[in-house]
Amino acid sequence: MRTRTADMSTSTGTGTSSLRGTLLLDEPLGRYTSWRVGGPAKRLYRPADQQDLACFLAGLEADEPLFWLGLGSNLLISDTGFPGTLIHTQGCLNTITAHSDTQHSETRGSGEAAATTLRVEAGASCAKLARFASRLGLVGAEFLAGIPGTLGGALAMNAGAWGGETWPLVERVRTIDREGQIRERARSAFRAGYRQVTGPEGEWFLSADLVLAPGDSEAAQARIRTLLDQRAATQPIGLPSCGSVFRNPPGDHAARLIEAAGLKGRRLGGAEVSPKHANFIINLGEATAREIAALIDLVQDAVERHSGIRLQPEVRRLGAFS
C-alpha cells in the first residue's frame, strides 16, 4: 500500500493543482464500509473544503472512474476494490449552519431555535443532523437519527425511516460536477420517489438547505431516544451490516417476505441473514464481498420462488463481482 498527503503541487491527472486535502493511494476500503469488506481504491481523496474539492476534480482526467463515499453504508465494494478515484466525505464537508431570513450564523451545540433553515454539507452524518436540529428546537428531522449514512447519501436515495423521508425537508441543494463546477439548484430540479431520486446527470450533492419548523426541543430529543431504542431492540446494531438490504415492496415488508421464505439465520461463508431482522445481512467477522453478494442473490431467488416477488436491493455494488 502506498499513501501520501496532498501538498501544494500534487498531480491529480492532467497537471498539478494547489490542493489542501489528503490523497491516499492503493487504499484498502474495508475500513471505510459498514460491512467491513472491500479491496483497495486506486486513489482516495479527502477534500479540505468545497473549493479544494472543485480544484481536485478539475484536474481529473475525463475517463477516470469516480465514486463518492460517505459512511460506507448501503454499499458493497468488491474484494478486488475500485480501479478509480473515491471522494471520501466522512470527517470533512460536514458543517451544519443555521440561519434565519435576515442573517446566517454558524451554530454548534445547543441553543435557542431562532432559525428554521439548516444548510448541511453532504458529509454530515444523518445522526449528527438529527441531534443538531433537535437541540435547536427544530422538529421534523428526528427520523434521520436512525439512518446510518451521510446527508449526501440520503439525498441521493431519498433515505427514510419511521415514516419520514429526506426530500420533503429540502428547499434547495448545491451540486458539483466532475469538472469542479458548483451549482445552486432548486428542489424542483429533482424528482424524489421511494428510495430513488432523479435530477441533472453528472452532478453530486455538496450541501442542502433543509427547512424545519420550530418546536419543542426536549420532545424532539426524547423522540430520537425512543426511535433509537426501538432500532436497537429490532435491528442487529453493533454488527457489521449495510442497514436494510432490500427495498420494501408496495404494501409489504422485505423482512416479512425473507422470514416467510425460511431464510432467517441462513449463512453463506462468513455472511448471515440476521436472526434478529431478516432484511439485514451481517458480516460474522470473516465474510468476503463475494460471499455477501452471493447471499443477496440467494435471498432474492428464494423469496421470488416462495412469494413470486423479486426484491429490489437498496445496496449498491461497486467493483467487479463476476
Side-chain angles (χ1 to χ4, degrees):
M1 177 182 67
R2 298 173 292 129
T3 65
R4 64 187 171 98
T5 301
D7 56 29
M8 295 303 289
S9 60
T10 296
S11 173
T12 61
T14 59
T16 59
S17 301
S18 298
L19 301 177
R20 293 172 286 111
T22 301
L23 177 66
L24 303 176
L25 307 179
D26 301 322
E27 178 71 354
L29 297 174
R31 71 188 69 178
Y32 298 98
T33 68
S34 58
W35 252 322
R36 300 294 182 260
V37 298
K42 185 177 75 174
R43 298 192 300 181
L44 183 146
Y45 191 68
R46 186 178 295 115
D49 52 35
Q50 293 186 20
Q51 291 303 320
D52 180 62
L53 174 60
C55 183
F56 178 82
L57 291 175
L60 285 181
E61 295 184 0
D63 60 351
E64 171 77 0
L66 185 63
F67 189 82
W68 287 56
L69 177 66
L71 292 182
S73 58
N74 278 9
L75 178 65
L76 181 60
I77 301 176
S78 77
D79 299 313
T80 58
F82 181 62
T85 296
L86 288 180
I87 304 298
H88 187 223
T89 62
Q90 183 180 359
C92 58
L93 300 188
N94 62 352
T95 63
I96 304 176
T97 302
H99 61 89
S100 65
D101 292 338
T102 59
Q103 64 180 358
H104 292 70
S105 60
E106 189 171 44
T107 309
R108 297 186 183 276
S110 60
E112 297 296 323
T116 60
T117 300
L118 298 181
R119 175 159 291 178
V120 187
E121 288 193 300
S125 74
C126 293
K128 174 184 176 181
L129 169 56
R131 293 192 300 267
F132 186 97
S134 69
R135 289 196 297 264
L136 291 182
L138 301 174
V139 299
E142 295 90 334
F143 72 93
L144 288 167
I147 296 175
T150 60
L151 179 66
L155 290 169
M157 65 175 295
N158 192 25
W162 296 304
E165 289 186 327
T166 303
W167 272 87
L169 306 178
V170 176
E171 181 179 49
R172 66 179 61 86
V173 297
R174 174 176 283 192
T175 68
I176 191 169
D177 63 21
R178 65 174 298 132
E179 285 76 39
Q181 183 172 351
I182 296 174
R183 297 178 177 86
E184 300 277 348
R185 292 200 181 275
R187 174 182 170 180
S188 58
F190 300 85
R191 296 184 62 182
Y194 176 66
R195 303 300 179 265
Q196 59 183 350
V197 175
T198 58
E201 294 186 4
E203 298 179 21
W204 293 270
F205 296 110
L206 279 179
S207 67
D209 283 3
L210 308 180
V211 178
L212 301 172
D216 187 321
S217 177
E218 291 186 3
Q221 293 180 67
R223 173 165 167 75
I224 288 176
R225 290 192 295 270
T226 298
L227 293 176
L228 292 180
D229 288 344
Q230 178 184 344
R231 178 173 177 242
T234 59
Q235 299 176 9
I237 305 303
L239 297 173
S241 77
C242 76
S244 296
V245 175
F246 298 101
R247 301 177 184 179
N248 289 324
D252 211 334
H253 294 278
R256 188 197 71 79
L257 293 168
I258 297 168
E259 184 172 0
L263 296 171
K264 257 191 173 182
R266 180 66 178 270
R267 294 186 181 183
L268 190 58
E272 179 186 54
V273 177
S274 171
K276 192 172 187 178
H277 192 303
N279 199 17
F280 283 65
I281 289 178
I282 58 178
N283 179 355
L284 297 172
E286 299 296 332
T288 64
R290 184 182 294 273
E291 289 170 345
I292 294 172
L295 187 54
I296 292 173
D297 295 340
L298 184 154
V299 169
Q300 280 185 299
D301 293 341
V303 168
E304 187 172 25
R305 287 194 302 269
H306 183 268
S307 66
I309 296 174
R310 184 75 176 175
L311 294 176
Q312 299 302 311
E314 288 190 17
V315 62
R316 178 170 181 177
R317 299 184 189 188
L318 183 65
F321 283 89
S322 57

